[in-house]
mmCIF file of all heavy atoms in Angstrom:
data_model
loop_
_atom_site.group_PDB
_atom_site.id
_atom_site.type_symbol
_atom_site.label_atom_id
_atom_site.label_comp_id
_atom_site.label_asym_id
_atom_site.label_seq_id
_atom_site.Cartn_x
_atom_site.Cartn_y
_atom_site.Cartn_z
ATOM 1 N N ASN B 727 -10.702 171.268 -29.942
ATOM 2 C CA ASN B 727 -10.547 170.143 -29.017
ATOM 3 C C ASN B 727 -10.215 168.859 -29.768
ATOM 4 O O ASN B 727 -9.417 168.052 -29.303
ATOM 5 C CB ASN B 727 -11.806 169.947 -28.181
ATOM 6 C CG ASN B 727 -11.902 170.969 -27.072
ATOM 7 O OD1 ASN B 727 -10.913 171.637 -26.745
ATOM 8 N ND2 ASN B 727 -13.081 171.115 -26.500
ATOM 9 N N TRP B 728 -10.856 168.659 -30.929
ATOM 10 C CA TRP B 728 -10.541 167.467 -31.719
ATOM 11 C C TRP B 728 -9.058 167.455 -32.108
ATOM 12 O O TRP B 728 -8.420 166.422 -32.135
ATOM 13 C CB TRP B 728 -11.406 167.428 -32.991
ATOM 14 C CG TRP B 728 -12.791 166.921 -32.778
ATOM 15 C CD1 TRP B 728 -13.233 166.129 -31.756
ATOM 16 C CD2 TRP B 728 -13.934 167.144 -33.618
ATOM 17 N NE1 TRP B 728 -14.577 165.869 -31.906
ATOM 18 C CE2 TRP B 728 -15.027 166.473 -33.043
ATOM 19 C CE3 TRP B 728 -14.139 167.859 -34.802
ATOM 20 C CZ2 TRP B 728 -16.300 166.479 -33.612
ATOM 21 C CZ3 TRP B 728 -15.408 167.868 -35.367
ATOM 22 C CH2 TRP B 728 -16.480 167.185 -34.773
ATOM 23 N N MET B 729 -8.530 168.643 -32.417
ATOM 24 C CA MET B 729 -7.098 168.727 -32.769
ATOM 25 C C MET B 729 -6.216 168.395 -31.579
ATOM 26 O O MET B 729 -5.299 167.594 -31.675
ATOM 27 C CB MET B 729 -6.750 170.148 -33.224
ATOM 28 C CG MET B 729 -7.099 170.434 -34.642
ATOM 29 S SD MET B 729 -6.406 172.038 -35.077
ATOM 30 C CE MET B 729 -7.188 172.222 -36.672
ATOM 31 N N LEU B 730 -6.494 169.049 -30.460
ATOM 32 C CA LEU B 730 -5.587 168.928 -29.312
ATOM 33 C C LEU B 730 -5.653 167.535 -28.689
ATOM 34 O O LEU B 730 -4.659 167.051 -28.138
ATOM 35 C CB LEU B 730 -5.902 169.997 -28.258
ATOM 36 C CG LEU B 730 -5.754 171.445 -28.734
ATOM 37 C CD1 LEU B 730 -5.872 172.403 -27.556
ATOM 38 C CD2 LEU B 730 -4.449 171.704 -29.473
ATOM 39 N N ASP B 731 -6.807 166.884 -28.783
ATOM 40 C CA ASP B 731 -6.932 165.544 -28.211
ATOM 41 C C ASP B 731 -6.074 164.519 -28.951
ATOM 42 O O ASP B 731 -5.888 163.406 -28.464
ATOM 43 C CB ASP B 731 -8.402 165.087 -28.226
ATOM 44 C CG ASP B 731 -9.190 165.693 -27.067
ATOM 45 O OD1 ASP B 731 -8.555 166.143 -26.097
ATOM 46 O OD2 ASP B 731 -10.431 165.725 -27.151
ATOM 47 N N THR B 732 -5.577 164.876 -30.123
ATOM 48 C CA THR B 732 -4.762 163.933 -30.902
ATOM 49 C C THR B 732 -3.298 163.959 -30.467
ATOM 50 O O THR B 732 -2.524 163.077 -30.802
ATOM 51 C CB THR B 732 -4.891 164.275 -32.403
ATOM 52 O OG1 THR B 732 -6.269 164.501 -32.696
ATOM 53 C CG2 THR B 732 -4.404 163.141 -33.277
ATOM 54 N N ILE B 733 -2.918 164.991 -29.733
ATOM 55 C CA ILE B 733 -1.536 165.075 -29.231
ATOM 56 C C ILE B 733 -1.399 164.149 -28.018
ATOM 57 O O ILE B 733 -2.295 164.099 -27.180
ATOM 58 C CB ILE B 733 -1.209 166.537 -28.866
ATOM 59 C CG1 ILE B 733 -1.228 167.376 -30.147
ATOM 60 C CG2 ILE B 733 0.137 166.637 -28.171
ATOM 61 C CD1 ILE B 733 -1.000 168.844 -29.922
ATOM 62 N N PRO B 734 -0.284 163.407 -27.933
ATOM 63 C CA PRO B 734 -0.144 162.448 -26.824
ATOM 64 C C PRO B 734 -0.250 163.115 -25.448
ATOM 65 O O PRO B 734 0.311 164.186 -25.233
ATOM 66 C CB PRO B 734 1.267 161.881 -27.027
ATOM 67 C CG PRO B 734 1.597 162.133 -28.453
ATOM 68 C CD PRO B 734 0.860 163.369 -28.849
ATOM 69 N N ASP B 735 -0.964 162.454 -24.527
ATOM 70 C CA ASP B 735 -1.119 162.942 -23.155
ATOM 71 C C ASP B 735 0.221 163.303 -22.524
ATOM 72 O O ASP B 735 0.354 164.317 -21.850
ATOM 73 C CB ASP B 735 -1.763 161.853 -22.276
ATOM 74 C CG ASP B 735 -3.274 161.836 -22.438
ATOM 75 O OD1 ASP B 735 -3.808 162.743 -23.100
ATOM 76 O OD2 ASP B 735 -3.907 160.896 -21.928
ATOM 77 N N LYS B 736 1.184 162.425 -22.750
ATOM 78 C CA LYS B 736 2.491 162.604 -22.117
ATOM 79 C C LYS B 736 3.114 163.941 -22.508
ATOM 80 O O LYS B 736 3.729 164.613 -21.685
ATOM 81 C CB LYS B 736 3.412 161.445 -22.531
ATOM 82 C CG LYS B 736 4.476 161.156 -21.522
ATOM 83 C CD LYS B 736 5.238 159.898 -21.817
ATOM 84 C CE LYS B 736 6.568 159.898 -21.082
ATOM 85 N NZ LYS B 736 6.402 160.251 -19.656
ATOM 86 N N TYR B 737 2.938 164.314 -23.770
ATOM 87 C CA TYR B 737 3.494 165.592 -24.231
ATOM 88 C C TYR B 737 2.807 166.765 -23.531
ATOM 89 O O TYR B 737 3.435 167.731 -23.127
ATOM 90 C CB TYR B 737 3.341 165.710 -25.758
ATOM 91 C CG TYR B 737 3.984 166.952 -26.309
ATOM 92 C CD1 TYR B 737 5.364 167.012 -26.511
ATOM 93 C CD2 TYR B 737 3.236 168.090 -26.584
ATOM 94 C CE1 TYR B 737 5.972 168.162 -26.980
ATOM 95 C CE2 TYR B 737 3.826 169.250 -27.051
ATOM 96 C CZ TYR B 737 5.192 169.282 -27.253
ATOM 97 O OH TYR B 737 5.790 170.433 -27.698
ATOM 98 N N LEU B 738 1.498 166.645 -23.377
ATOM 99 C CA LEU B 738 0.721 167.757 -22.811
ATOM 100 C C LEU B 738 0.945 167.939 -21.318
ATOM 101 O O LEU B 738 0.689 168.997 -20.765
ATOM 102 C CB LEU B 738 -0.768 167.541 -23.092
ATOM 103 C CG LEU B 738 -1.117 167.664 -24.574
ATOM 104 C CD1 LEU B 738 -2.453 167.032 -24.867
ATOM 105 C CD2 LEU B 738 -1.118 169.117 -25.009
#
Side-chain angles (χ1 to χ4, degrees):
Chain B
N727 283 345
W728 280 338
M729 279 188 189
L730 299 189
D731 280 341
T732 315
I733 295 177
D735 278 352
K736 207 171 160 49
Y737 184 79
L738 292 162

